[in-house]
Amino acid sequence: MYMGTTIIVRGASILLAFCLLSLVVVIAGFRLYFRRLRKCQPRSSKKKIAFFHPYCSSGGGGERVLWKAIQALDELHSEGLSFDIVIYTVDAASDNYKETLFNHVQSRFSIKPTTSVTVSFAHLDQYSHFFDKATRFSLIAESWGTMKFAYQALKVSTPDVFIDTTGCAFTYLVARILAGCDVAAYVHYPTISTDMLQLVWDRRPTYNNDATVARSSFTTYIKMIYYALFAAAYATVGSMCRLVMVNSSWTRGHISFLWRGAAGRIHTVFPPCDTESLKDLPLERNRPIIVSIGQFRPEKDHPLQVRAFARFRKEHARWNDAKLVLVGSCRGADDEERVRLLRDLIASLDLVDSVEIVLNQPYSVVKKWFGEASVGLHTMWNEHFGIGVVEMMAAGLLVIAHNSGGPKADIVVPTIDGQKTGFLAVTEQEFATAMNDALSMTKDDARKTRLRARHASAQFSDQTFNLSFKR
């Protein structure tokens, strides 16, 4: 019996050693492969910094962070540091791609990306299908897709420093272990969090927890195991970062809990918000217009905004001339379908003349609505930060945001002496009540609240981001 056990233990040890040796050989092979690829790529004495941001031409808050980060690096370059920048994108190449994109960035964000540093693009449109949405086991399937895309991107251009600004943490495994790059990340939102685990455990249906799963104890337990295993893998790859920047106190709390291997390398860098140009807008507002800004993604919960507005109108008839304006952009067919369903909801609630959807417009149009509206609305649960919320505060709007995430922790917080800077809500009824409370404020109280909010927004300025990022 003892002899048999000894043989089994020795056999298992030999098998484990063989597996580890094989893994080392495979990694060494990839390192050698990427080293040879580097030699085949155009040579330069400068270091190469790559940004993993496949949808760099989109118009959301993540893209604003990308271009302000590049602008900050451009300042470092002009101060004497030597490097080039490459951006991995799913966009197809064209003769005037760079010029068109930079014009779009200037129009959408009022950002002139570069003046001295060389920025090039690795066009990987033939691999865009790697980002197709999965219907089952989406966390694993979509993370695998990002890894495959990163592998192809690194084959085209292998950098010294790989910076992820999209939250695709599993690309770090490819960049750090296989390609031998130093990895940095700007994390907008943890792919998985304890809040998500709690939501599944509580069996609450939402956009990422299907009602059929929530109704069943068995499928809930299976999903909890799946989430726990994924969280362990997420913690492993996240710990491969040499530098981690997070966009809020809320995000930092979750990332610090999960990425314990990166302890001491995690820093809060609030995202850049255009607070300066919005300070010119007047504080006096008379029109009962409520404006919302944000991409038409499911987590933004635009239907909640429409339903809350309908309830507000129903409960407070004196505001029958109030208007809700939803300003945002669509990333593709899925978002366009959401807008179509939103229009159907608006029609079913008899709000066609009271709710306006403003799609894919330049920043000048967004700023116009900031100047005309009295109230700003944001309903996303656990918004990682809330650039739109900050911009609305800087613009002088009375802000109503979801009582969670970044808005609760960092943005819509009372002053040192306990004075209000905005409103927080969770339910449809709470949002409807807040709309009435905001529009019913006296001119003097409203002006003081707008002024406090504008002052509070200054800590999230472009200049603050530039200084923090360059450190």
Side-chain angles (χ1 to χ4, degrees):
M1 181 71 174
Y2 175 77
M3 181 71 71
T5 303
T6 302
I7 292 171
I8 291 172
V9 170
R10 286 180 178 175
S13 299
I14 292 170
L15 179 60
L16 178 61
F18 176 77
C19 290
L20 290 174
L21 180 61
S22 299
L23 181 61
V24 170
V25 170
V26 169
I27 292 172
F30 273 110
R31 288 285 182 94
L32 181 61
Y33 173 64
F34 277 106
R35 193 171 298 159
R36 288 178 176 174
L37 282 177
R38 270 196 180 101
K39 292 180 180 178
C40 296
Q41 293 165 10
R43 293 190 177 184
S44 172
S45 59
K46 299 179 180 179
K47 282 189 173 294
K48 186 189 294 182
I49 299 174
F51 281 89
F52 186 88
H53 205 113
Y55 295 96
C56 62
S57 60
S58 294
E63 287 68 54
R64 192 170 208 282
V65 169
L66 168 69
W67 294 110
K68 289 302 294 187
I70 290 174
Q71 190 178 63
L73 289 176
D74 183 60
E75 291 176 10
L76 288 176
H77 186 271
S78 64
E79 292 168 7
L81 291 182
S82 181
F83 55 84
D84 292 330
I85 293 174
V86 62
I87 302 173
Y88 303 130
T89 177
V90 297
D91 296 338
S94 64
D95 292 339
N96 60 345
Y97 174 81
K98 183 174 178 178
E99 180 184 356
T100 302
L101 176 58
F102 280 15
N103 287 338
H104 165 71
V105 172
Q106 179 78 47
S107 170
R108 177 67 183 86
F109 302 119
S110 297
I111 295 173
K112 187 176 181 181
T114 65
T115 56
S116 66
V117 69
T118 299
V119 177
S120 59
F121 298 86
H123 295 277
L124 299 150
D125 48 299
Q126 69 269 41
Y127 303 114
S128 61
H129 60 280
F130 289 158
F131 293 102
D132 289 348
K133 295 295 182 183
T135 55
R136 290 289 183 270
F137 300 104
S138 58
L139 288 174
I140 292 176
E142 291 170 16
S143 295
W144 175 242
T146 65
M147 291 174 69
K148 291 190 292 182
F149 187 89
Y151 178 73
Q152 296 298 334
L154 289 161
K155 282 171 62 178
V156 173
S157 183
T158 311
D160 300 285
V161 180
F162 177 96
I163 303 178
D164 166 49
T165 48
T166 62
C168 296
F170 284 83
T171 61
Y172 312 163
L173 179 66
V174 182
R176 179 76 183 274
I177 302 300
L178 302 187
C181 306
D182 285 333
V183 175
Y186 188 94
V187 183
H188 297 271
Y189 195 83
T191 304
I192 192 165
S193 67
T194 52
D195 289 340
M196 289 173 63
L197 291 168
Q198 188 65 50
L199 184 146
V200 173
W201 183 252
D202 292 342
R203 296 167 64 180
R204 282 185 284 156
T206 184
Y207 71 92
N208 60 357
N209 190 38
D210 192 84
T212 56
V213 173
R215 283 195 295 266
S216 168
S217 297
F218 176 74
T219 53
T220 293
Y221 294 146
I222 295 298
K223 188 166 184 177
M224 281 295 295
I225 294 170
Y226 165 55
Y227 269 21
L229 292 172
F230 183 85
Y234 183 65
T236 301
V237 296
S239 299
M240 295 177 183
C241 278
R242 293 286 181 91
L243 172 66
V244 182
M245 292 168 281
V246 295
N247 68 343
S248 69
S249 301
W250 182 89
T251 304
R252 181 169 187 160
H254 286 281
I255 291 297
S256 296
F257 178 78
L258 290 165
W259 294 5
R260 298 187 184 186
R265 305 193 299 271
I266 302 173
H267 308 274
T268 302
V269 178
F270 291 124
C273 304
D274 180 23
T275 58
E276 198 61 35
S277 72
L278 296 170
K279 289 180 179 178
D280 296 333
L281 296 174
L283 289 175
E284 301 295 339
R285 310 293 175 92
N286 299 314
R287 301 177 65 185
I289 297 175
I290 302 170
V291 68
S292 161
I293 177 174
Q295 290 180 324
F296 287 95
R297 307 200 310 259
E299 61 269 27
K300 295 299 184 182
D301 207 352
H302 288 91
L304 173 58
Q305 298 181 7
V306 174
R307 292 194 303 270
F309 181 71
R311 181 183 288 263
F312 156 69
R313 289 265 306 245
K314 182 179 180 181
E315 293 180 353
H316 306 281
R318 69 192 181 100
W319 296 115
N320 60 8
D321 60 337
K323 183 175 183 177
L324 174 64
V325 181
L326 308 178
V327 183
S329 59
C330 291
R331 300 164 299 173
D334 289 345
D335 288 354
E336 290 168 359
E337 175 63 14
R338 273 184 280 276
V339 171
R340 187 190 68 77
L341 293 174
L342 202 58
R343 294 189 192 279
D344 289 345
L345 175 63
I346 291 167
S348 70
L349 294 172
D350 196 25
L351 293 172
V352 174
D353 295 330
S354 302
V355 178
E356 181 177 350
I357 295 178
V358 181
L359 274 178
N360 302 321
Q361 293 299 307
Y363 188 66
S364 58
V365 175
V366 177
K367 192 171 179 180
K368 166 184 169 292
W369 282 111
F370 279 165
E372 293 186 11
S374 294
V375 175
L377 180 63
H378 193 83
T379 51
M380 178 176 169
W381 171 71
N382 271 348
E383 171 68 273
H384 41 283
F385 178 69
I387 290 178
V389 177
V390 173
E391 290 180 341
M392 289 189 287
M393 290 170 68
L397 297 174
L398 295 171
V399 169
I400 306 170
H402 200 284
N403 192 18
S404 63
K408 177 183 180 182
D410 296 315
I411 305 173
V412 190
V413 295
T415 60
I416 295 176
D417 57 350
Q419 297 296 306
K420 181 183 295 186
T421 58
F423 300 82
L424 294 170
V426 174
T427 65
E428 179 182 311
Q429 179 62 64
E430 289 175 355
F431 276 105
T433 300
M435 290 177 192
N436 179 62
D437 291 346
L439 289 173
S440 300
M441 293 180 78
T442 65
K443 284 187 177 182
D444 185 54
D445 285 346
R447 180 181 176 80
K448 288 178 180 177
T449 303
R450 297 179 199 277
L451 198 57
R452 286 193 296 267
R454 177 171 284 178
H455 178 74
S457 71
Q459 64 182 308
F460 309 114
S461 67
D462 287 341
Q463 293 80 1
T464 301
F465 173 84
N466 271 21
L467 290 173
S468 300
F469 189 87
K470 288 191 290 186
R471 288 197 187 112

